[in-house]
Amino acid sequence: MKILVTFMCLFSLSLHAQEQVEEQQIDMVLGIDKIVKLDFVAHTKLQVGNQSLVGYTLIPQKKEITFKGLKPGRTSVTVRNTVGDIKARYLLNIIASDLSNLVLELKEFLAQIEGLEIGIKGDSVFLGGQIVVPADYGLINLVLKKYSDKGILDMVELSPQTQRMVAQKMQEEIHKNGMKDVSVRIVNKAYWLEGFVISKSERNLAGKIAVAFMPENVASLAEREGAVQKAGGKKILHDFIIVNAKRAAVPIPKLIKITTQFVLLNKDYTRVFGFKWIPVLSGNGAQISFGKTSDDGASTQGGDSFSGTISNLLPKLASAKSAGYARIIQSGIVVVKNKVQAQLKKNLKQPFSIGSGEFTRAEEANAGFDLKVTPTILSKERIDMNIGVSVSATEGNPPNTQEQTVTTHLVVKSKESAVVGGVSVQQTTTAYDKDPPGGEDDFEDVQPLFTFIRSKNLKSSRNQFVVFVTPEIIDNAHKGTEDILKKFRRRSR
């Protein structure tokens, strides 16, 4: 209960304190700002009765409010502290005078000019500040002529930031045209061109670029009043560029890394299906006996008997499949200068023998590749390549050598791969009723009763050869060999 009573007392005291804040009246002349000092930290948002009459600028760190009259009239302003309590009330009375009316008229003409200030100092109206766009001074001069009898003070100058931005644009455009050693800086409101070029034509080009970017000149206040005098006359562009033909460095030729891959793919497939039936008799054959009776009679008794051994009586089925493939991949990397021919060659000799006995002789089969290429860099990172590729591979025992050659001329973009050529050979053989379908038969001193054979033998083989080429424009040879160095590091581990 005591806590509640205490809270109500504090709340009523706070309301009473806010109600006790007296309203201060401030008279302002239109065009003259009013600065008010505070003894507390104000909230950043002020409550303005009519915002069309007055504007304000609050600086919390200095505890200051600057009121700026916009047009004649009366309005209230309430200021709170950071916790929301009302700490000050102001009644602003903006009064229009002849000078303030003149300020309003000037603002109607010149309010859109960035950086321009219009106000009243003492008993005079002034135009001041630092304008950003030099061409705006033409409008200012025109308005000043209209009010020439009003004694308006012209204190307008060009912003230094504008000159620095113009100088930066000058320098960027000069560098785009290949003159990297030329710089532009501002010295005493003048543009200085400094650096080195390799010819007089480049120096003239840099000067023309600078003139194209130069804005209209706005004389400083001291110059307009004649308080200073320029030595050697007024000049805002100075050309200090030195022509030094010896500095012309020979451009470093571009390098091209060419990666070539050769792929040789062999596939074969065999399928055999056969039906064979060949029954045969054994070597003793069959016997039939004739003879007399036991009592030596005249009659003859004949008894026939047939005996023997029959083999391969049941028919045979033969069915088999076989398949296989071989992939031979070879790759090569070569780094070469632009418009220079490069050659990369690899050769492997495989010895083998032919014949037997005293007729045996030694032979060798060669396998490898030979790459010749002349690259030329075109626009948009495209590379023109004149390519000659020869690839050979061996297979079997004794080895057979397969050799493929591709010669072409093509254009490929940097870091993109292209198939420059290839050969594909497909061979299919079908045989019917070949004896024997399931292997060789070995019959010695036997006589087959009959022969019945049905078979089908299918053989298919395919050989494919493809060449891939990937060019890449690089800055130096070390960059072109990074991939190879990584492979060696992995192997060493």
Side-chain angles (χ1 to χ4, degrees):
M1 187 65 182
K2 292 181 179 180
I3 296 176
L4 181 59
V5 173
T6 304
F7 175 77
M8 293 297 294
C9 293
L10 293 175
F11 182 72
S12 61
L13 289 174
S14 176
L15 292 176
H16 180 71
Q18 294 189 40
E19 292 175 355
Q20 293 299 320
V21 176
E22 296 182 0
E23 190 174 61
Q24 302 179 29
Q25 181 169 339
I26 298 177
D27 294 328
M28 295 177 55
V29 178
L30 191 65
I32 301 177
D33 297 343
K34 181 68 175 180
I35 300 176
V36 177
K37 294 286 186 178
L38 303 175
D39 57 358
F40 60 92
V41 178
H43 193 275
T44 56
K45 187 70 174 177
L46 306 186
Q47 294 177 246
V48 181
N50 190 346
Q51 296 182 358
S52 65
L53 299 180
V54 64
Y56 67 89
T57 301
L58 175 64
I59 305 176
Q61 295 82 357
K62 293 187 176 182
K63 298 180 181 181
E64 290 181 358
I65 302 177
T66 302
F67 292 110
K68 187 179 186 67
L70 301 179
K71 62 182 181 180
R74 291 166 62 88
T75 184
S76 62
V77 177
T78 302
V79 184
R80 298 177 181 269
N81 60 11
T82 55
V83 297
D85 296 333
I86 298 176
K87 303 296 291 184
R89 297 177 187 269
Y90 301 103
L91 180 60
L92 301 182
N93 184 26
I94 299 97
I95 304 172
S97 63
D98 292 340
L99 296 180
S100 62
N101 290 332
L102 180 59
V103 170
L104 289 178
E105 292 181 16
L106 293 175
K107 286 184 177 180
E108 290 181 0
F109 287 109
L110 306 174
Q112 73 275 16
I113 298 178
E114 185 178 357
L116 181 65
E117 297 179 5
I118 304 175
I120 300 174
K121 295 286 187 182
D123 57 352
S124 300
V125 176
F126 75 93
L127 298 181
Q130 295 178 333
I131 61 175
V132 177
V133 181
D136 290 339
Y137 193 76
L139 178 60
I140 295 173
N141 196 27
L142 182 63
V143 173
L144 288 177
K145 289 181 180 179
K146 175 179 174 60
Y147 294 95
S148 59
D149 58 335
K150 301 296 183 180
I152 301 173
L153 300 178
D154 180 9
M155 298 185 290
V156 179
E157 292 187 315
L158 183 64
S159 172
Q161 181 64 22
T162 300
Q163 285 191 302
R164 287 193 289 268
M165 292 173 60
V166 172
Q168 183 180 358
K169 293 294 183 182
M170 282 185 188
Q171 181 172 301
E172 289 176 358
E173 189 64 26
I174 292 173
H175 287 180
K176 287 180 181 179
N177 284 268
M179 292 165 280
K180 303 291 186 181
D181 294 328
V182 176
S183 61
V184 183
R185 64 189 180 111
I186 303 298
V187 178
N188 196 20
K189 297 185 179 182
Y191 299 93
W192 283 23
L193 303 182
E194 300 173 314
F196 299 88
V197 294
I198 62 175
S199 64
K200 291 183 178 180
S201 60
E202 286 193 349
R203 178 180 179 179
N204 295 335
L205 178 59
K208 291 179 180 179
I209 293 173
V211 171
F213 276 87
M214 281 179 55
E216 295 84 350
N217 184 33
V218 177
S220 66
L221 181 60
E223 293 170 352
R224 293 199 298 268
E225 297 300 321
V228 295
Q229 185 176 3
K230 289 271 187 179
K234 184 177 180 180
K235 189 175 181 181
I236 61 173
L237 179 63
H238 300 274
D239 187 354
F240 298 111
I241 299 176
I242 299 175
V243 178
N244 187 0
K246 295 182 179 180
R247 282 184 59 91
V250 178
I252 300 175
K254 293 286 187 178
L255 298 178
I256 303 110
K257 180 180 75 170
I258 300 175
T259 304
T260 308
Q261 292 181 331
F262 317 95
V263 181
L264 181 61
L265 181 63
N266 297 330
K267 291 184 178 181
D268 62 84
Y269 174 78
T270 303
R271 181 177 181 181
V272 179
F273 179 80
F275 177 87
K276 180 171 64 174
W277 189 18
I278 308 176
V280 296
L281 297 174
S282 63
N284 295 329
Q287 297 179 353
I288 300 176
S289 302
F290 296 92
K292 299 179 180 181
T293 62
S294 57
D295 56 358
D296 293 331
S299 63
T300 303
Q301 181 181 2
D304 56 355
S305 68
F306 184 82
S307 65
T309 302
I310 301 177
S311 58
N312 293 334
L313 183 59
L314 298 178
K316 294 182 178 179
L317 292 176
S319 176
K321 285 191 211 177
S322 63
Y325 71 91
R327 180 183 288 118
I328 301 173
I329 300 177
Q330 301 186 66
S331 62
I333 299 176
V334 62
V335 179
V336 63
K337 292 196 299 185
N338 185 31
K339 299 181 180 181
V340 177
Q341 186 186 54
Q343 182 176 11
L344 182 62
K345 188 174 183 180
K346 174 191 173 184
N347 189 25
L348 176 63
K349 295 182 178 181
Q350 180 180 354
F352 64 94
S353 60
I354 298 178
S356 61
E358 60 182 14
F359 300 103
T360 303
R361 71 177 186 273
E363 296 286 348
E364 61 182 18
N366 295 325
F369 62 84
D370 187 3
L371 169 66
K372 293 181 180 179
V373 57
T374 303
T376 302
I377 299 176
L378 306 178
S379 61
K380 298 181 179 180
E381 293 189 345
R382 287 178 169 83
I383 302 172
D384 179 282
M385 292 186 294
N386 192 352
I387 301 176
V389 180
S390 178
V391 182
S392 59
T394 60
E395 63 176 351
N397 188 18
N400 296 321
T401 302
Q402 297 183 16
E403 185 173 352
Q404 291 84 16
T405 301
V406 178
T407 302
T408 185
H409 196 169
L410 73 164
V411 176
V412 183
K413 193 172 182 180
S414 178
K415 296 183 180 180
E416 292 185 355
S417 299
V419 177
V420 300
V423 177
S424 179
V425 178
Q426 187 168 357
Q427 183 177 3
T428 303
T429 304
T430 305
Y432 295 94
D433 298 340
K434 288 291 184 179
D435 183 22
E440 296 290 339
D441 290 328
D442 186 13
F443 298 139
E444 295 182 1
D445 300 332
V446 294
Q447 180 67 31
L449 292 179
F450 57 85
T451 301
F452 182 78
I453 298 176
R454 289 291 184 270
S455 67
K456 182 179 180 181
N457 190 342
L458 176 64
K459 293 182 179 180
S460 176
S461 63
R462 183 177 181 180
N463 298 331
Q464 206 167 15
F465 166 71
V466 183
V467 179
F468 297 89
V469 173
T470 306
E472 180 183 357
I473 301 174
I474 59 177
D475 297 329
N476 53 70
H478 174 72
K479 183 179 179 181
T481 57
E482 287 180 351
D483 296 338
I484 300 176
L485 293 174
K486 289 179 181 178
K487 292 180 181 179
F488 277 107
R489 293 191 190 103
R490 292 193 193 103
R491 292 174 183 174
S492 62
R493 293 176 185 173

